[in-house]
Amino acid sequence: MRTLEKELLEAKTVTLMRCNISSITPITNVKPRSLSIVSALKKISEADSISLSPENDGSVTSDCGVYAVYDSNGQVQFIGLSRNIAASVDLHRKKVPELCSSVKVGVVDEPSKESLTQAWKSWMEEHIAATGKVPPGNETGNTTWFRPPPQKKPDLRLTPGRHVQLIVPLEQLIDRLVKENKVVAFIKGSRSAPACGFSQRVVGILESQGVDYESVDVLDEEYNSGLREKLKSYSNWPTFPQVFVNGELVGGCDILTSMYEQGELANLLK
Amino acid sequence: MGVTKEEVESSLTSKLSPVHLEVVDTSGGCGASFVVEIVSGQFEGKRILERHRMVNAALEKEMQEIHALSIKKALTPEQWKQQQDSENSEATT
């Protein structure tokens, strides 16, 4: 029969075990949270297969988790983990459409680096146990499925420095810059660390489009001295950020956001 | 210091004669940041960039003190009606 005393004793033991967790590792019942998270994760064999046909667009979740991409022969090509499964799968489909026929998804509810890695491991292990091999896309050296390392371009500078006398008027430099580059974003801060929420959103939108663009930091007083005022009059636009495409002002954050939401931006950037 | 919501509204009303106007002060009272939704017949045939320019121009005086102006909508009455219709039909279906 259970007694209060026994329960208390047990509780005490648990507490003790918690305190000494590093010294008594063999005891597993107080071990990690990550186990319980993984147990909530569906196994590959249990997850539903989602066809990646165009009419099925939007059926992949944009949650965090793991996913397995299948080719048209039903073979797993790649097992990945992502903070936005739909976006990752979209990138794969753009890059290697012939290898992306369907996908299985395992959402990780409380995503952390550990829980995601744990979930990914469990899917890899399950796959290896079932097939005896690593998916081709996960083999070392295969870079098909990985995003190219983010190559943050440096921001462009308009002048060699504010103490250098310009031979060409600043206005002309702006004009050349926006005409010689397809997409130019004049932002506050650098593209790797925008200094204003609106600029950050614009950078985010441009990056999500995978478009090659130039950025100019209008707050850089050393190399873009005087640019803020000049640009406002050049473009007849009072605020920043400002995005130019093919030499023409498209607009600021509001316009870019609305074009992005309406799906008009992709056309413009083609 | 700062600009009031009423000042923004009256400038926009007198210059763009909107049929619908919503100005929200998002600065927490210091008058430096506004969100605007505006519907005006004067936007007819104008691209979104030109519409925003018109709003900016109407607020030229105020803009000197406004730090952030977000123009959420700049629509023609017809677009506005369409948008409301579609919202209503979504609500009823």
Side-chain angles (χ1 to χ4, degrees):
Chain A
M1 214 178 103
R2 276 184 95 79
T3 63
L4 183 62
E5 193 191 9
K6 206 174 160 197
E7 281 192 9
L8 277 173
L9 198 66
E10 275 176 6
K12 209 171 168 190
T13 323
V14 170
T15 320
L16 274 175
M17 290 194 309
R18 287 219 168 100
C19 298
N20 292 324
I21 186 113
S22 56
S23 56
I24 46 166
T25 38
I27 296 174
T28 51
N29 61 343
V30 275
K31 244 195 133 180
R33 216 169 135 232
S34 59
L35 276 183
S36 62
I37 288 166
V38 171
S39 66
L41 177 84
K42 275 191 182 159
K43 291 163 68 171
I44 309 187
S45 49
E46 294 164 351
D48 297 324
S49 173
I50 305 166
S51 161
L52 291 176
S53 52
E55 62 268 22
N56 229 352
D57 264 357
S59 49
V60 177
T61 171
S62 46
D63 286 328
C64 295
V66 283
Y67 59 94
V69 182
Y70 289 74
D71 64 16
S72 52
N73 298 322
Q75 298 295 313
V76 175
Q77 283 290 332
F78 178 68
I79 297 178
L81 63 85
S82 172
R83 292 268 172 191
N84 178 342
I85 299 174
S88 297
V89 170
D90 269 353
L91 282 176
H92 296 322
R93 282 175 68 195
K94 270 189 197 150
K95 197 167 168 200
V96 279
E98 68 282 7
L99 296 180
C100 303
S101 176
S102 65
V103 69
K104 285 188 175 185
V105 166
V107 173
V108 173
D109 286 329
E110 285 177 59
S112 66
K113 199 172 173 194
E114 292 72 36
S115 60
L116 281 169
T117 312
Q118 190 69 39
W120 179 80
K121 271 190 191 154
S122 77
W123 274 37
M124 282 296 276
E125 281 164 9
E126 186 189 342
H127 177 79
I128 293 169
T131 64
K133 53 181 201 254
V134 172
N138 293 93
E139 280 169 12
T140 346
N142 185 328
T143 54
T144 311
W145 302 83
F146 294 96
R147 214 187 279 233
Q151 30 158 340
K152 291 267 182 189
K153 278 187 166 182
D155 302 292
L156 285 184
R157 294 163 166 181
L158 257 75
T159 75
R162 73 177 139 162
H163 301 296
V164 182
Q165 182 75 43
L166 290 180
I167 15 176
V168 187
L170 191 54
E171 193 136 31
Q172 213 170 314
L173 291 177
I174 298 174
D175 193 59
R176 256 180 48 195
L177 180 72
V178 299
K179 287 184 176 146
E180 285 172 7
N181 297 283
K182 188 169 164 61
V183 185
V184 184
F186 292 91
I187 56 175
K188 289 186 168 177
S190 71
R191 67 161 70 195
S192 48
C196 140
F198 300 105
S199 292
Q200 183 158 32
R201 184 154 2 134
V202 161
V203 166
I205 290 175
L206 290 174
E207 308 240 315
S208 77
Q209 301 289 303
V211 59
D212 185 33
Y213 69 100
E214 302 299 335
S215 57
V216 184
D217 177 2
V218 298
L219 297 179
D220 184 342
E221 284 300 326
E222 181 59 35
Y223 295 101
N224 298 321
S225 176
L227 174 61
R228 274 212 304 287
E229 288 314 309
K230 262 293 178 305
L231 186 60
K232 285 183 191 177
S233 61
Y234 173 85
S235 58
N236 182 21
W237 192 257
T239 53
F240 297 101
Q242 297 189 8
V243 177
F244 285 75
V245 176
N246 298 326
E248 267 193 60
L249 177 66
V250 176
C253 182
D254 289 326
I255 295 185
L256 237 76
T257 305
S258 106
M259 290 180 79
Y260 173 66
E261 283 165 0
Q262 317 267 322
E264 294 164 9
L265 195 59
N267 282 332
L268 182 73
L269 296 175
K270 255 182 206 158
Chain B
M1 187 206 75
V3 178
T4 63
K5 172 176 179 289
E6 288 71 28
E7 285 173 302
V8 174
E9 281 172 349
S10 87
S11 290
L12 289 175
T13 306
S14 69
K15 290 176 187 144
L16 297 174
S17 37
V19 295
H20 165 81
L21 175 66
E22 201 179 317
V23 178
V24 182
D25 183 342
T26 49
S27 67
C30 76
S33 166
F34 293 91
V35 175
V36 172
E37 257 188 56
I38 180 166
V39 181
S40 162
Q42 295 185 27
F43 291 150
E44 210 72 60
K46 300 253 183 356
R47 291 183 307 148
I48 180 166
L49 184 77
E50 295 170 68
R51 296 177 188 181
H52 281 225
R53 279 211 168 111
M54 291 164 70
V55 175
N56 288 329
L59 295 175
E60 198 187 354
K61 188 166 62 66
E62 290 82 357
M63 279 306 278
Q64 290 165 9
E65 297 194 43
I66 297 178
H67 172 70
L69 178 72
S70 171
I71 304 169
K72 225 169 75 189
K73 281 182 189 158
L75 303 175
T76 62
E78 199 175 321
Q79 289 174 318
W80 172 242
K81 193 172 167 293
Q82 277 173 6
Q83 225 175 61
Q84 283 191 315
D85 286 349
S86 72
E87 272 165 26
N88 288 341
S89 65
E90 267 165 37
T92 49
T93 47

